[in-house]
Amino acid sequence: MSQDGAIIGRLGDVPLYGPEGFEGMRRAGRLSAMALDMLAGEVRPGVTTLTLDRLAFEFAGDHGARPANVGYQGYQNTLCTSINHVVCHGIPAERALREGDILNIDITLIVDGWHGDTSRMYAVGEISRKAERLIEVTYESLARGIAAARPGNTTGDIGAAIQSYAERGRTSVVRDFVGHGVGRVYHDAPDIPHFGEPGSGIRLLPGMIFTIEPMINLGRPDVKILADGWTAVTRDRSLSAQCEHSIGITETGCEIFTLSPAGLFKPALGDARP
Ligand code: MF3
Ligand code: CO
Ligand code: CO
């Protein structure tokens, strides 16, 4: 990718993007967020995750986009659909959603070569108080990570902000999967751990584009991969939640590329409760 004209510099193996990259990511990020907005109207008891996957695949085609997951290292679906104790990379299947499930949907749409990578949580009907609390902690931990994403800070400052918030809330941070550089390439440098020491890692510079996507568990942080080679679950079968934005470092902070146009990124938890 060294011949990529959208890359205006590098810090080691980390590409730095200029206005063309930010504009490309704005368009891709917005479309991915729109797909997740569309799915918000489809998540309910009885719907299968494969139905959601088909809707997302059609949405991509209708909008001139390509789903990055299809064909990625042999993966065959548009979405990852991770239910309850599934940490990430759940494969859509003929499994009907049930009242009380919590679901992460992760999508990456490619628009003009740019990858918009985002995920959020969905509540299926009424969910337990502990599930609600986990989701709240997960969203706030992403918000703390984003608040730390600014020039002069390091990748470790992002991880430390996420970890300290999550652990104060008596939840744990998954170590096995990290945020990643994103842009013309789906998974690029740098790694963005969701844990770590303040000041560690690489220094953030304007033009860096990456995801932050904390996976937070109610129990222990340990995960295992199921026999399908993809599905990551908590070893103790405790509930897990995740949310993800693609962001770009600016002169003063960062720009979030995957904000929900409909304002649906954070589910209105508890609204159904009397
Ligand atoms: N979107 C996921 C991420 O946030 C990666 C999914 S890869 C797949 O990095 F093959 F499982 F779809
Ligand atoms: Co990602
Ligand atoms: Co993702």
Side-chain angles (χ1 to χ4, degrees):
M1 284 269 128
S2 56
Q3 77 285 16
D4 188 335
I7 295 174
I8 63 165
R10 283 189 177 270
L11 179 68
D13 53 359
V14 181
L16 303 176
Y17 293 98
E20 181 191 346
F22 276 62
E23 186 50 37
M25 285 302 296
R26 253 172 231 137
R27 294 176 57 227
R30 180 180 170 84
L31 193 67
S32 294
M34 285 171 61
L36 294 186
D37 285 352
M38 177 277 292
L39 292 169
E42 305 294 337
V43 170
R44 59 181 161 275
V47 172
T48 72
T49 49
L50 205 50
T51 297
L52 300 176
D53 191 69
R54 288 200 195 97
L55 288 168
F57 183 82
E58 283 163 20
F59 180 94
D62 290 347
H63 291 83
R66 193 168 77 73
N69 290 344
V70 177
Y72 177 78
Q73 295 185 4
Y75 197 82
Q76 297 186 4
N77 294 89
T78 297
L79 304 177
C80 295
T81 51
S82 302
I83 303 172
N84 297 337
H85 69 294
V86 179
V87 171
C88 63
H89 304 163
I91 302 172
E94 296 288 1
R95 190 278 202 198
L97 295 172
R98 294 190 278 265
E99 177 93 14
D101 284 340
I102 61 169
L103 168 69
N104 174 277
I105 303 181
D106 193 330
I107 189 167
T108 302
L109 296 182
I110 307 172
V111 178
D112 292 338
W114 297 95
H115 294 68
D117 187 2
T118 182
S119 83
R120 60 177 91 144
M121 295 302 295
Y122 298 80
V124 182
E126 189 165 335
I127 62 174
S128 69
R129 286 263 184 226
K130 66 181 197 325
E132 244 176 47
R133 193 180 77 80
L134 172 64
I135 294 173
E136 288 286 357
V137 170
T138 303
Y139 276 79
E140 183 60 22
S141 72
L142 174 59
R144 303 275 172 125
I146 289 172
R150 59 170 182 271
N153 271 1
T154 67
T155 53
D157 290 320
I158 295 174
I162 292 168
Q163 182 181 13
S164 64
Y165 182 78
E167 291 180 354
R168 262 182 281 141
R170 289 166 288 113
T171 62
S172 68
V173 176
V174 170
R175 309 293 203 269
D176 303 60
F177 303 96
V178 297
H180 51 90
V182 69
R184 297 274 236 217
V185 176
Y186 192 0
H187 291 103
D188 206 346
D191 280 354
I192 309 291
H194 307 109
F195 56 92
E197 296 304 319
S200 67
I202 65 160
R203 206 152 286 284
L204 302 175
L205 288 178
M208 289 181 178
I209 296 181
F210 53 80
T211 73
I212 307 179
E213 48 182 300
M215 285 138 276
I216 307 292
N217 299 346
L218 272 185
R220 298 201 45 82
D222 311 79
V223 311
K224 67 175 177 189
I225 309 293
L226 299 187
D228 60 28
W230 284 104
T231 311
V233 300
T234 55
R235 277 192 180 273
D236 62 7
R237 297 186 69 85
S238 66
L239 285 180
S240 186
Q242 180 179 22
C243 50
E244 174 176 24
H245 273 314
S246 294
I247 71 169
I249 302 297
T250 63
E251 296 295 331
T252 54
C254 70
E255 175 175 347
I256 304 173
F257 299 123
T258 44
L259 289 173
S260 162
L264 298 174
F265 185 68
K266 183 174 175 179
L269 294 172
D271 281 1
R273 208 174 280 279

